[in-house]
Every structure is written in structure tokens, then in C-alpha cells.
Amino acid sequence: MAGEALLRVENLSKWFEVRRGLLAPPLTLRAVDGVNFELARGEAVSLVGESGSGKTTLGKTVLRLYEPTSGRIVFKGKDVTKLDGKELLWYRRETGLVQQDPYGAMPSFMTVYRILEEPLIIHKVGTREERREMVFKALEEVRLTPVEDFAFKYPHMLSGGQLQRVAIARALILRPSFVVADEPVSMLDASVRVEILTLMRELQEKLGISFIYITHDLSTTRYFSERIFIMYAGHIVEKAPSKELVREPLHPYSQALINAIPDPDPENRKRLRNVPPGEPPSLINPPPGCRFHPRCPYAMDVCRRQEPPEVEVKSGHVVKCWLYAKG
Amino acid sequence: MGDVALSVRGLRLYYGTRKGVVRAVDNVSFDLRRGETLAVVGESGCGKSSLARAIIRLLPRNVHTYEGQIILDGQDVMKLSDEEFRRSVQWTRISMVFQGAQNSLNPVLKVGFQIAEPLMIHKGMPKEEALAEARKYLRMVGVHESFADRYPFELSGGMKQRAVIAMALIARPQVVILDEPTSALDVITQANIMNLLKTIRSEWGLSYIFITHDIALSSELADKVAVMYAGQIVELAGADEFYTNPQHPYAQKLMASVPSLRADKKLEFIPGAPPSLINPPPGCRFHPRCPYAMDVCRRQEPPEVEVKSGHVVKCWLYAKGG
């Protein structure tokens, strides 16, 4: 991590109430439960987890699209956990979001031009002519050229890949310093994915934006981020530099995740993969202690009773597991 | 390995639409041996799922052309009427696990009943006996048999997937078509399902046709790989050959676009998109995206060239004197 942190998240939780009926007391779903991390200026981090691990909730809570249940979010030295009104508008301008489903994320009755101009209008940027120039430049940046051909089209006239480029242009048009991209390519064709991710990475580096790239696909993360966070059942269980995490995963869950992913290899068909049975726990009634213990091959007594601490095993490599705790 | 279980020759499936005829499967041929797995890979919209539907004859209403030979154990089952095919082939000799299988279960029927249905419908087995079989198969795929009396919403994604696999196996087919059998599942669950499919294959000597867009995943089961592009097989090779040395420019590009978790490699992508199947480009259908396209590729359909024994490439680059 170079330089000062742009974003610091302390013990952040987001719980949802799940109603079961008129009279029954609501249940609590702990989607994000006590998460800590820092993000440096211009740094890209991948947040990896299975569906239901809380990664999207974490992304949206950090952007203040969900109200945090507890904890603190500090952005540019300023506590943004409780901002509202004008100051929240400032935070909105400083941040951006690219969503998973580009079709759902675009109003179908607006042209691409209007979609891109909207954030500029909301934040009162420039005159009409200046905005026009900015919109065209944004389209050029995401290589939707010739821009005149794309600017006046409606979302349904574009392919998924083209639409996701528009979504990226929209997220970047206000030049935010922090962007969350939530599974930006999972709905796109395999051959287009690399193209979109490469484009995102180029813009992120060129503009010096900090990025959280949320994905369930560990194999692409190494190419697009400096660090990887692994999430399981509402907790971040491991944080490490990308290459180190893939080469030397420490948390038993990270190890399982990496074991589960094949590379194209004709030998694969001759062997079984060493993966734990079962599926992630319910977040309404998570297991006590470490949430991975029911599936963990190394589970000890303490894992069943007490939540594991976060241990910095090496500089910049943190793991939430009793196996690495001193004593 | 042993003898041929399924042989497909010149299979065509065209759909009639208002915009024209969609050539989803266009002259496809391959052999599948007993106990062997053929992986069919390619981008979406290249005809993979249509190929599966053509083999098990689950066709939509707008079929324009459906022809070729499907030889199962020496019998050309294309010659059977729909009724005969349904009674003597579908599910009992060829079965299928559908894409998004977790959603293909009927939400208002108990899981056990749905697994037992193929036995009752295709084999005429009495209900009680069929339900007992369903419990046995559920146990075999690693789900506790008490789940037979539950409804689909009470099962997790991985358990539903296992139930659907049990349904495909219960009538004891020789050939099982797996159409993206783990899409929408998490990677660890996916690996568990792959382990299950491998175990069943080696115990039963089943043949699989494994359809996927994920090249890395295809290597989990494939003994042989067919690469489909725009309704045609452009490369067909043994797994050892294919994953180390793909020959067709499309197959090479596809392989280069696979992100690797372990190896250091540069990622590439294939510019452009697969062509329309209504009006495919003349000559080789890949020529507009091919870096090696020559004059002949634009004019004439490439021949199938056997570059090595059992390794066929449909490309002018490998044609003699071409």
C-alpha cells in the first residue's frame, strides 16, 4: 500500500431485518458483519466471494447506498458514515458504481447521451456546450466510436458489452476518486469479458482512481487488482497482495476456493478436486465462532466457540483464522 | 473406452423465423465412444444448446430443417417417429441435464416425485417402486433421502443440481447430455458437482456430452473436445492434443482468452462478435475475425483436414496446396 489511505473502513456492519409475517418478530440477516480494510489512492482491490457472502452489500454500504448498521467509513480523512444533504451529494460525486446488469441499470427511455449528461446536470457541471464535449469525450474514452453513432442510441440498441462501456463512462464522467464495480462482466460473453476488464483497468490506472472490483471469479482478479480480499459469510477472511494470495493462500476457505478453480489442463479429467463439502451458512443464524468451521478440515475446539482474530501473518497479508493466532 | 455409443452424421437443425432461416446446427458430425466425454465449447450463440436439443429431439415449434443421422448402438434413431423416439430413446437411452437446472424443477411437486417421473413416464414403472428408486438415486448423488419428500425451495442450489442429475440418471441412459450443468453455482459447489460426475462416469461407464462456454471447466471432464463456431464444428481433437496445442485460429484465440489462475500469461480477446446464423459470412464463417484470413477463406468453405490421427480442423491453413 503506497501513500495515505483514501478510504478506511472500520468494523463496518450492515444487517437487514427479514420480516416473516405480521406478528412474528423479524429476524436479523447479518450480510456484512464487522469488516475492516483500507484502500490507497489509485489502488485496485478485488473483493471475491461466493453469492450470498455479502460482497455486494459491502460495496453498496461503503458507497452509502445502504445505511450502515454500525462501524465507520472514513473517506479523504472525513467521516462519511452519517453524512446527509449537501455533504452526501459531495460523497456521491466523489464515488461511482458500475452494476452487474447493464440493462437493468440504464433507463430505457433515455438516449446514451442523456444517460451520460444526467450526472453532470445533477451536479451542475458546465454549460450545455461544455457538457456536450464531456459526454463525447467520455464515449471516446470507453471506445464507443464514432461517438455520434452511439450518443443518440437507446440502451436496447446496444449489445451487453457496449452497454457496459456506457455504464463505465457514466461512473467515470464526474472524475470520482473511488469506484465500485460490482460483477461488471459476469453477464457478458466470455470473449467480451477480458476486453471490458482491460478497458476498466486502463482507465483506472490512467485516471488514478481507487477501485473495488467485486467478483466471484478469482481467476480474473490477478490481472486487474493489486490486492485481493476474500469474503465468506459476511466476513473478510483474508487480505493479501493478489499474486501472493493465489500462490500462497492461508485461510482454509481461500485454499478451498483456489483448489476448486481449474486451469485448462488435460490432466484435470483424471483426478478429483480437493474441496470441502457443503455450502455457505445462512446469514440469519450463522454458526458460532468461525463461520467456516462446519466445512473446515482443520477446525479446532476454539473455532467452534470464538470468532477468530485478524492476524497479520506477513506485512500486508492478514488472515482471520485461529490457525495463525499466537499462543 | 471401447466401441462407439453414439455417432452423429451430417446433423442439421434450422429454425424458421420472420427474419429468415437460422442455421443453428449446420452439418455436424462426431463419434462418441462408450465411457467417453465429448466437451462442446464455444461462445454463446454458436449453436451448442441447439446441438444438444437436436440430439435428444427436444425441439421448439419453429423447426425449419431437421435432418442427418443419429446412430445409437448401431440404430439410426432419426428414423423413429416422435412417439417411438420418446418411448424408446428419450430419457431411457439419452438424457439431459438442462442449463439453469436449478430452475427446471417444478416448484409445486415434491423432489422425489420429479426424480421418479422418467421411470413412470418412459418405463411405465408403478409409482411406489419408482419413488423408492428415486430415494436410492438421491442418496447416490449425495443428498439425504429425506429430501425426496421436500419441495424444491427447501433445497440449496447445489442440492437442486444434484437432484436434477439424479433425474437424468434414473432411467439408466448410456449417454447423458450436460448443458452448462454448473452455471449459476459457486465454484466450490461446482467442483463438488464435477467430482460427482467423474465418479459416476467411472463407475457406470457413461458417455457424456458436456456443453460449456468455459474452456477451463471443460477440461474437468473432456476426453475429446469439439469447438463450435456459427453452427459448425471447426476443431475436433483429443483432450491431450487440444489443451496443449489447439490448431484452428478460433480455438487458439479462445484458449488465449482464458484467464489463468496459476500461470503467468497475457490475456487476449477476440475482437468482434460471432456472426448471425441467418446470414453467415461466405467461405469460412470465422474469416471476418481471423488474423490469418486469406483470399480463399472469403470465397470457399474450408475442408475438414485431419492434421493428426483423430485431430480434425476445418480451416484452409491446413489444407494441402491451399
Side-chain angles (χ1 to χ4, degrees):
Chain A
M1 252 186 292
E4 99 193 79
L6 175 83
L7 177 76
R8 202 167 71 240
V9 168
E10 294 168 6
N11 210 13
L12 190 69
S13 295
K14 176 61 190 173
W15 298 357
F16 294 98
E17 279 194 353
V18 184
R19 299 215 154 261
R20 293 179 301 165
L22 270 179
L23 299 172
L27 299 173
T28 305
L29 187 145
R30 304 174 173 208
V32 174
D33 208 11
V35 161
N36 298 291
F37 67 86
E38 287 188 356
L39 191 63
R41 269 173 212 277
E43 183 189 33
V45 165
S46 294
L47 182 62
V48 181
E50 297 174 76
S51 49
S53 61
K55 51 192 196 302
T56 295
T57 305
L58 177 57
K60 288 195 169 174
T61 309
V62 170
L63 288 178
R64 283 290 315 275
L65 296 170
Y66 289 147
E67 287 305 308
T69 305
S70 64
R72 235 157 70 93
I73 306 163
V74 181
F75 179 77
K76 289 194 169 170
K78 190 167 178 163
D79 188 336
V80 298
T81 325
K82 294 252 145 55
L83 287 188
D84 53 14
K86 265 224 166 83
E87 293 205 291
L88 184 60
L89 201 61
W90 164 80
Y91 189 55
R92 293 265 177 272
R93 188 176 172 167
E94 286 282 334
T95 56
L97 173 68
V98 180
Q99 277 164 295
Q100 180 172 12
D101 173 11
Y103 294 92
M106 301 279 166
S108 55
F109 55 88
M110 286 190 189
T111 59
V112 167
Y113 185 87
R114 181 63 219 237
I115 288 169
L116 293 178
E117 195 189 14
E118 183 102 329
L120 299 173
I121 294 173
I122 290 173
H123 291 278
K124 302 192 175 69
V125 178
T127 62
R128 188 182 287 260
E129 285 68 44
E130 283 165 346
R131 289 201 296 265
R132 186 185 171 87
E133 219 162 87
M134 288 169 85
V135 168
F136 280 1
K137 190 170 161 241
L139 282 171
E140 230 162 71
E141 261 174 7
V142 294
R143 294 195 207 111
L144 285 175
T145 48
V147 291
E148 293 81 5
D149 283 3
F150 287 97
F152 301 102
K153 282 193 168 151
Y154 286 90
H156 73 269
M157 300 157 109
L158 302 180
S159 71
Q162 290 169 341
L163 215 48
Q164 206 53 300
R165 287 166 192 265
V166 176
I168 293 169
R170 179 175 65 175
L172 301 183
I173 199 160
L174 287 163
R175 291 288 178 260
S177 36
F178 168 47
V179 169
V180 173
D182 186 4
E183 303 264 18
V185 295
S186 66
M187 299 199 37
L188 305 180
D189 234 323
S191 56
V192 187
R193 284 182 192 173
V194 176
E195 198 176 345
I196 296 288
L197 287 173
T198 309
L199 171 74
M200 245 173 46
R201 178 64 160 167
E202 270 174 36
L203 290 171
Q204 180 254 328
E205 286 183 332
K206 190 177 108 193
L207 303 173
I209 300 171
S210 302
F211 238 82
I212 292 186
Y213 165 44
I214 298 177
T215 178
H216 66 275
D217 179 10
L218 192 58
S219 52
T220 52
T221 54
R222 205 160 62 86
Y223 297 92
F224 305 105
S225 57
E226 281 86 50
R227 283 194 298 157
I228 296 175
F229 299 166
I230 304 278
M231 210 164 167
Y232 185 75
H235 287 157
I236 291 182
V237 296
E238 186 162 358
K239 292 175 268 200
S242 302
K243 281 192 181 162
E244 192 175 314
L245 194 137
V246 168
R247 208 177 43 233
E248 218 184 312
L250 296 178
H251 196 285
Y253 173 67
S254 315
Q255 291 169 356
L257 206 55
I258 286 168
N259 274 340
I261 299 172
D263 274 334
D265 179 354
E267 295 303 311
N268 286 342
R269 68 187 197 272
K270 298 169 190 159
R271 58 189 173 217
L272 296 180
R273 284 192 181 271
N274 179 18
V275 285
E279 282 168 68
S282 149
L283 296 174
I284 290 178
N285 226 335
C290 171
R291 293 185 178 175
F292 189 60
H293 88 249
R295 303 170 74 188
C296 182
Y298 312 108
M300 305 172 290
D301 234 27
V302 62
C303 309
R304 291 182 193 98
R305 285 183 285 104
Q306 236 182 313
E307 188 175 320
E310 291 191 13
V311 187
E312 182 153 18
V313 180
K314 272 188 225 173
S315 157
H317 194 154
V318 176
V319 55
K320 189 178 173 74
C321 176
W322 280 112
L323 287 175
Y324 303 92
K326 293 255 153 46
Chain B
M1 293 280 148
D3 50 348
V4 174
L6 176 75
S7 182
V8 171
R9 289 284 168 274
L11 189 62
R12 285 191 166 85
L13 175 59
Y14 297 174
Y15 305 122
T17 68
R18 267 198 292 176
K19 289 181 179 167
V21 176
V22 177
R23 301 201 228 165
V25 178
D26 207 3
N27 195 12
V28 165
S29 305
F30 64 84
D31 287 329
L32 183 65
R33 292 174 175 280
R34 227 170 273 288
E36 186 179 54
T37 298
L38 171 75
V40 180
V41 300
E43 291 166 274
S44 57
C46 66
K48 305 189 296 287
S49 291
S50 291
L51 174 62
R53 290 184 167 268
I55 293 169
I56 197 169
R57 211 191 282 189
L58 284 170
L59 307 173
R61 285 172 179 216
N62 60 341
V63 170
H64 175 276
T65 306
Y66 179 50
E67 61 182 34
Q69 289 178 300
I70 297 175
I71 300 157
L72 191 61
D73 270 333
Q75 179 198 9
D76 185 357
V77 297
M78 281 295 270
K79 293 207 175 86
L80 299 176
S81 71
D82 284 353
E83 180 54 28
E84 284 171 326
F85 186 87
R86 195 183 66 79
R87 208 154 11 96
S88 68
V89 180
Q90 225 172 50
W91 235 257
T92 53
R93 292 166 73 191
I94 303 178
S95 71
M96 181 159 166
V97 174
F98 295 91
Q99 191 167 1
Q102 299 102 294
N103 300 324
S104 68
L105 290 167
N106 186 331
V108 298
L109 293 178
K110 285 181 180 164
V111 172
F113 181 80
Q114 298 189 54
I115 296 174
E117 261 188 329
L119 289 179
M120 297 187 271
I121 293 172
H122 296 275
K123 287 203 161 166
M125 191 184 274
K127 188 175 168 187
E128 288 310 312
E129 207 179 316
L131 286 176
E133 277 293 292
R135 286 173 172 273
K136 201 174 100 193
Y137 274 78
L138 208 48
R139 203 164 53 226
M140 188 192 75
V141 296
V143 179
H144 194 274
E145 58 179 59
S146 65
F147 282 93
D149 298 319
R150 307 251 191 128
Y151 291 93
F153 79 91
E154 298 177 277
L155 275 65
S156 71
M159 280 155 80
K160 278 188 253 182
Q161 191 64 51
R162 286 169 191 266
V164 170
I165 290 172
M167 201 192 303
L169 295 176
I170 196 161
R172 286 279 179 170
Q174 302 114 296
V175 177
V176 179
I177 302 171
L178 308 162
D179 187 2
E180 305 271 10
T182 57
S183 62
L185 291 180
D186 291 311
V187 284
I188 294 179
T189 310
Q190 169 177 287
N192 274 314
I193 298 284
M194 286 294 142
N195 283 347
L196 172 70
L197 291 170
K198 285 179 197 175
T199 311
I200 293 170
R201 173 177 65 181
S202 66
E203 282 172 10
W204 290 25
L206 272 179
S207 305
Y208 292 142
I209 297 175
F210 177 27
I211 292 175
T212 179
H213 68 277
D214 183 339
I215 303 243
L217 188 67
S218 73
S219 75
E220 285 281 285
L221 291 173
D223 298 305
K224 204 150 85 173
V225 184
V227 180
M228 260 188 109
Y229 189 76
Q232 300 179 323
I233 292 180
V234 296
E235 180 158 357
L236 184 63
D240 294 313
E241 272 278 305
F242 179 78
Y243 294 110
T244 51
N245 199 12
Q247 299 289 310
H248 194 283
Y250 176 64
Q252 290 172 349
K253 286 270 177 194
L254 212 51
M255 199 69 103
S257 72
V258 180
S260 165
L261 188 59
R262 296 159 186 94
D264 264 312
K265 76 173 207 192
K266 202 178 158 333
L267 275 190
E268 292 175 33
F269 53 85
I270 316 173
S276 145
L277 295 175
I278 292 177
N279 232 331
C284 171
R285 294 181 182 181
F286 186 59
H287 87 249
R289 301 169 80 187
C290 182
Y292 313 110
M294 306 172 290
D295 233 29
V296 60
C297 309
R298 291 181 193 98
R299 285 183 285 104
Q300 236 182 314
E301 185 171 328
E304 291 182 1
V305 186
E306 186 154 18
V307 289
K308 259 188 200 173
S309 161
H311 190 161
V312 177
V313 186
K314 190 178 171 72
C315 175
W316 280 113
L317 288 175
Y318 302 94
K320 293 261 154 40

